[in-house]
């Protein structure tokens, strides 16, 4: 009796018509309130409609009714994953696999949940075990490639990415994984080709667009060297507390700050060049182009003010010029902070520093200008603290 509405609901879900599937399933459950598959498929229908809490409730009921059946656990894992609760998704996927270890989609679910938690060794292990069950699964191959890329295993990551593309040359996510591996291991030109292919297959894939921009920037050798140095000499915000104990560390702080400043200038120049080029300007929104233009103007304006101050013997304007040049760091740190509240705080900080630089020049306060310059280049630690406080936004690996 329940077979017909269940079959109709499954067909409707396949056709991406979850609201109609929900109506079928609710009618079934009105007649058979303890139908396990009815609750499980209703969870899928609700999850597809972005009603996460309701979907979890239905999945939980299905698990309660049939705890020894793998399918309710699998559905529960998907509901938790879509709701942004990866720890519960991992537990549900493992419960499913304990009952049905040959179910490849459950290995994929487990791998994706570990990716959400940035648990790369576990993600690689789950994806690899899934591929042992389903060697032709392109999604598992792509996840394995991403996990190995994040683990720094260049050879295996490239092999897994090439395998994913070979399994399905029309898969946007396979080309994305291939591009990520190439970008991570020093082949930005090849990565750019892969990301262009992703955008050809799926023009609305924003992550591919951002990665293509990153690949195009890294084709510039100066940008590539400075970006690598910025990543190597990051200087965690906790280093600030070492200064009272080890005063000579100030030289290390200065070096790190100047490397970051130079890298941010290179970032601005490269972004502005790409944003103005006919072939790549559509990759950038107007905000990115404006921030890049501003960060290209700040060093020029600051240098002009510094030269004018030196020429006229004005100490305050000269030092204020250095402070204006230093504003590149806080502005770029703000622009590259994903958390909205953190970005607002950092833009506010940039505005305060800019105001202090202008007032120090007008009121002839060289000490204030010098402190502003120091605060500007030291904004990498301010930004690190702000990101720790407000978060950095969700990471999307695949």
């Amino acid at each position: 009796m329940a077979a017909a509405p269940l079959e109709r609901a499954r067909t409707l879900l396949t056709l991406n018509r979850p609201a109609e599937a929900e109506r079928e399933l609710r009618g079934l459950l009105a007649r058979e309130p303890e139908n396990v598959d009815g609750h499980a498929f209703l969870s899928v229908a609700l999850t597809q409609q972005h009603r996460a809490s309701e979907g979890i409730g239905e999945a939980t009921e299905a698990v309660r009714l049939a705890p020894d059946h793998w399918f309710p656990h699998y559905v529960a894992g998907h509901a938790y994953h879509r709701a942004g609760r990866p720890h519960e998704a991992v537990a549900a996927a493992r419960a499913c696999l304990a009952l049905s270890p040959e179910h490849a989609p459950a290995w994929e679910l487990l791998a994706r949940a570990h990716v959400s938690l940035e648990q790369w060794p576990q993600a690689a292990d789950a994806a690899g075990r899934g591929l042992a069950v389903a060697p032709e699964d392109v999604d598992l191959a792509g996840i394995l490639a991403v996990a190995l890329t994040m683990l720094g295993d260049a050879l295996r990551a490239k092999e897994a990415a090439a395998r994913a593309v070979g399994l399905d040359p029309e898969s946007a996510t396979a080309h994305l994984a291939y591009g990520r591996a190439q970008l991570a291991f020093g082949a930005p030109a090849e990565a750019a080709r892969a990301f262009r292919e992703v955008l050809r297959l799926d023009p609305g894939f924003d992550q591919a667009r951002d990665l293509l921009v990153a690949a195009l920037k890294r084709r510039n050798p100066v940008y590539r060297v400075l970006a690598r140095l910025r990543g190597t000499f990051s200087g965690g915000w906790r280093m600030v507390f070492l200064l009272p104990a080890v005063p000579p560390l100030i030289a290390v702080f200065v070096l790190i700050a100047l490397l970051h400043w130079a890298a941010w200038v290179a970032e601005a120049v490269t972004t502005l060049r790409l944003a103005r080029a006919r072939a790549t300007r559509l990759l950038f929104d107007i905000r990115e182009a404006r921030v890049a233009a501003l960060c290209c103007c700040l060093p020029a304006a600051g240098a002009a003010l510094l030269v004018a101050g030196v020429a006229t013997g004005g100490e305050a304007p000269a030092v204020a010029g250095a402070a204006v040049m230093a504003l590149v760091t806080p502005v770029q740190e703000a622009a590259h902070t994903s958390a909205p509240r953190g970005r607002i705080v950092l833009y506010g900080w940039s505005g305060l520093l800019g105001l202090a630089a202008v007032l120090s020049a007008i009121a002839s306060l060289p000490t204030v200008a010098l402190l502003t310059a120091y605060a500007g280049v030291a904004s990498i630690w301010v930004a690190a603290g702000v990101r720790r406080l407000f978060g950095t936004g969700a990471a999307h690996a695949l």
Side-chain angles (χ1 to χ4, degrees):
M1 182 177 178
L6 275 176
E7 191 60 37
R8 285 196 297 271
R10 293 180 64 176
T11 302
L12 289 166
L13 288 171
T14 303
L15 296 172
N16 198 26
R17 292 159 63 179
E20 296 174 49
E22 180 188 353
R23 286 195 292 272
E24 290 282 348
L25 292 164
R26 289 202 184 279
L28 168 64
L29 291 171
R31 298 188 300 273
E32 302 179 34
E34 295 195 353
N35 187 298
V36 175
D37 288 337
H39 285 289
F41 282 112
L42 180 55
S43 172
V44 176
L46 292 168
T47 301
Q48 287 187 7
Q49 295 177 75
H50 308 288
R51 293 155 63 184
S53 59
E54 294 177 72
I56 290 171
E58 292 296 332
T60 302
E61 179 64 11
V63 171
R64 185 189 70 81
L65 291 169
D68 296 327
H69 185 36
W70 65 267
F71 185 59
H73 294 285
Y74 176 68
V75 168
H78 260 294
Y80 284 124
H81 182 60
R82 292 286 293 271
R85 296 166 61 176
H87 290 287
E88 290 95 330
V90 167
R94 291 196 180 280
C96 172
L97 288 165
L99 296 165
S100 180
E102 300 302 308
H103 187 56
W107 286 112
E108 181 183 338
L109 171 62
L110 179 60
R112 289 188 184 278
H114 282 305
V115 167
S116 297
L117 292 166
E118 298 186 5
Q119 296 174 340
W120 306 114
Q122 296 91 327
D125 178 69
R129 294 177 71 175
L131 282 169
V133 174
E136 304 300 309
D137 192 310
V138 63
D139 291 327
L140 281 168
I143 295 171
L144 177 60
V146 170
L148 292 171
T149 298
M150 299 304 294
L151 289 170
D153 191 337
L155 180 61
R156 292 177 62 207
K158 289 182 178 181
E159 287 177 352
R163 177 181 182 180
V165 173
L167 287 170
D168 186 359
E170 297 300 308
S171 169
T173 55
H175 287 283
L176 183 74
Y178 181 81
R180 286 173 65 95
Q182 296 298 328
L183 183 62
F185 301 117
E190 183 67 16
R193 283 193 286 272
F195 297 136
R196 284 196 177 97
E197 183 64 12
V198 175
L199 291 170
R200 183 189 70 80
L201 295 166
D202 186 354
F205 207 139
D206 290 339
Q207 187 185 3
R209 173 257 180 205
D210 294 339
L211 288 168
L212 174 57
V213 169
L216 292 172
K217 288 177 180 177
R218 291 192 193 180
R219 292 177 67 177
N220 182 326
V222 175
Y223 173 89
R224 190 162 60 245
V225 170
L226 288 172
R228 187 181 301 119
L229 288 172
R230 186 176 69 204
T232 302
F233 300 102
S234 58
W237 65 277
R238 292 185 182 86
M239 285 181 63
V240 174
F241 298 108
L242 293 176
L243 277 178
V246 191
L249 272 178
I250 188 65
V252 177
F253 273 75
V254 171
L255 175 62
I256 291 172
L258 291 177
L259 283 172
H260 276 255
W261 180 85
W264 282 131
V265 172
E267 172 86 28
V269 171
T270 306
T271 299
L272 187 61
R273 179 178 60 81
L274 292 171
R276 293 173 63 88
R278 180 176 298 179
T280 54
R281 62 188 176 193
L282 293 178
L283 294 171
F284 297 85
D285 61 35
I286 191 168
R287 183 185 64 83
E288 291 175 294
R290 285 176 176 174
V291 169
L294 173 62
C295 290
C296 287
C297 292
L298 285 172
L305 186 59
L306 189 153
V307 170
V310 171
T312 59
E315 183 181 1
V319 181
V324 170
M325 296 172 69
L327 288 174
V328 171
T329 296
V331 171
Q332 287 279 38
E333 291 285 357
H336 289 79
T337 297
S338 59
R341 288 185 296 173
R343 190 162 56 246
I344 291 170
V345 169
L346 290 173
Y347 272 129
W349 170 249
S350 303
L352 287 174
L353 292 179
L355 181 62
V358 171
L359 291 178
S360 66
I362 294 173
S364 190
L365 298 170
T367 302
V368 174
L370 184 61
L371 290 174
T372 302
Y374 288 156
V377 294
S379 292
I380 56 172
W381 290 284
V382 176
V386 168
R387 292 191 186 107
R388 183 175 179 82
L389 182 63
F390 294 106
T392 57
H396 301 284
L398 191 63

